[in-house]
Amino acid sequence: MMDMGKIQILGRNVRGGVVIAALCVAAVVLAAANLTIGAVDIPLHEVWNIISGTGSDNDVWELIITQSRLPLVATAALSGAALAIAGLLMQTLFNNPLADPSILGVSSGSSLGVAVVMLLLGGELGTLFGSTIGGYISILAGAMVGAAAILATLMLFSTLVRSGTILLIIGIMISFLASSFISLLNFFSTQEGVHSYVIWGLGNFSGVTNSSLPLFAIVTLLAIGWSMLLCKPLDALLLGNRYAESLGVNLRHTRNSLLLIAGLLTATVTAFCGPIGFIGLVVPHIARLLLNSSSHSILLPCTMLAGAVVALMCQLVSVLPASGMIPINAITPIVGVPIIIHIILNRNKIKYFN
């Protein structure tokens, strides 16, 4: 007869398989809905013909699918997965169930880089390449440079500070400092510059084109793949730093790896899509509640899929009947706040919260 431990592991694996299968189905359904529903509704069979390479008699539909909606769906799924994984890594690293990617200050660093381009330079970098393409390149470059600067600062402090709590506080202080500089730039900028920056800060998944999607996908998938290799150290961290060290985990190396992965994922999404809130905070809790487990071997893939599902759902909700979209950051709090309030109110009943 199997002992109780093996039965629990088997039950956890079965439940994990069912949850992952359900999330895969949900992701496919939501992706199909995002491809068919929009300012121009396109029949599902026509969408399938276009995607499968058969083609469509309607050239406009084919252009909408290939040039707009396919990159949009891919970007939303990858962004949701990336932010969710980054949030999970931060919550495990800092042993704080309310930590999220923005707590590191990387999002603020990206925002500061974009603010410098839009508000201080007035988009002048864009004139080097042409108004539209150059503006996009300059904003992307500003976001990446800002995020890289904050991440490098955090990595430097991680070599000097041993306590995860102190490092968390340093990240929060850096975020406040970046926000202060952004406020000053907004105060001294023109009305047009402030308006453009505010629109960027609302977040959207439509800024990634077919030409930039491969770069976005490669960086995101490589970072997610790297996180999957750290399941055992992450599980050990759940039991405390001393226990993790007794198991042979190199805490400094693991912490630096987690910071680098989470920072890279957050910076990439922020640079391409703007600062997207709440997904990194909420989705890891959704995954844990679905699995009733904190084992990262099953929690990481479940969190990745749940992040993609939540992002695709928010994107679908954002589509207006007429032309246009509601900003993503106007929708994510509506989804995230009730879940977080529920978790806080029921924290004594939720095993992983304690």
Side-chain angles (χ1 to χ4, degrees):
M1 294 180 64
M2 290 190 298
D3 58 26
M4 186 60 66
K6 291 183 178 179
I7 292 175
Q8 288 177 345
I9 292 173
L10 180 61
R12 184 183 67 191
N13 291 338
V14 170
R15 179 168 182 162
V18 171
V19 169
I20 287 177
L23 288 173
C24 287
V25 172
V28 171
V29 171
L30 286 168
N34 275 286
L35 289 172
T36 57
I37 299 173
V40 177
D41 291 336
I42 302 174
L44 184 59
H45 69 275
E46 290 287 349
V47 172
W48 173 253
N49 289 338
I50 295 169
I51 294 175
S52 62
T54 305
S56 172
D57 295 333
N58 192 317
D59 293 337
V60 175
W61 286 354
E62 190 164 351
L63 186 65
I64 291 173
I65 294 296
T66 57
Q67 299 299 316
S68 177
R69 293 187 186 176
L70 269 177
L72 178 66
V73 167
T75 301
L78 288 170
S79 298
L83 293 174
I85 291 291
L88 176 60
L89 298 183
M90 289 300 94
Q91 290 172 12
T92 301
L93 174 61
F94 295 117
N95 193 26
N96 185 341
L98 297 180
D100 74 333
S102 63
I103 206 167
L104 283 175
V106 178
S107 295
S108 297
S110 292
S111 299
L112 178 58
V114 173
V116 169
V117 172
M118 284 187 174
L119 305 179
L120 183 61
L121 302 178
E124 291 177 6
L125 290 178
T127 60
L128 297 175
F129 307 96
S131 58
T132 303
I133 297 176
Y136 175 77
I137 292 174
S138 61
I139 290 171
L140 184 60
M144 294 300 290
V145 169
I150 298 298
L151 186 57
T153 304
L154 286 171
M155 296 295 289
L156 174 62
F157 277 110
S158 72
T159 62
L160 304 174
V161 176
R162 190 171 174 82
S163 170
T165 303
I166 298 300
L167 187 61
L168 182 65
I169 294 172
I170 290 173
I172 294 173
M173 293 301 102
I174 291 174
S175 180
F176 280 132
L177 188 61
S179 297
S180 177
F181 283 123
I182 292 171
S183 297
L184 290 172
L185 289 172
N186 272 301
F187 181 79
F188 290 106
S189 181
T190 63
Q191 183 176 352
E192 293 78 8
V194 172
H195 180 265
S196 299
Y197 180 75
V198 169
I199 295 299
W200 176 85
L202 293 174
N204 71 87
F205 298 128
S206 60
V208 180
T209 61
N210 282 329
S211 59
S212 57
L213 181 59
L215 175 62
F216 178 73
I218 289 171
V219 174
T220 302
L221 292 175
L222 284 177
I224 291 176
W226 185 6
S227 71
M228 297 293 178
L229 301 176
L230 299 175
C231 290
K232 289 184 178 180
L234 285 166
D235 284 341
L237 286 175
L238 293 175
L239 302 174
N241 290 345
R242 291 186 178 179
Y243 189 84
E245 284 184 317
S246 70
L247 293 177
V249 175
N250 187 325
L251 288 181
R252 176 163 291 181
H253 180 268
T254 301
R255 184 171 64 178
N256 288 343
S257 297
L258 295 177
L259 284 173
L260 188 57
I261 294 169
L264 185 60
L265 290 171
T266 306
T268 303
V269 174
T270 305
F272 281 89
C273 307
I276 308 295
F278 274 95
I279 291 179
L281 173 62
V282 172
V283 172
H285 291 286
I286 295 175
R288 292 191 191 98
L289 291 172
L290 290 173
L291 293 171
N292 194 27
S293 172
S294 293
S295 174
H296 287 83
S297 59
I298 190 68
L299 184 58
L300 276 167
C302 183
T303 301
M304 178 184 68
L305 289 170
V309 167
V310 170
L312 287 170
M313 181 179 66
C314 291
Q315 176 57 42
L316 184 63
V317 173
S318 74
V319 177
L320 295 172
S323 178
M325 291 184 183
I326 301 172
I328 294 298
N329 279 336
I331 299 171
T332 51
I334 299 173
V335 177
V337 169
I339 295 174
I340 293 300
I341 292 176
H342 167 76
I343 290 169
I344 292 174
L345 293 178
N346 296 277
R347 62 188 181 279
N348 293 328
K349 301 177 184 178
I350 298 176
K351 180 169 59 178
Y352 71 83
F353 200 97
N354 300 305

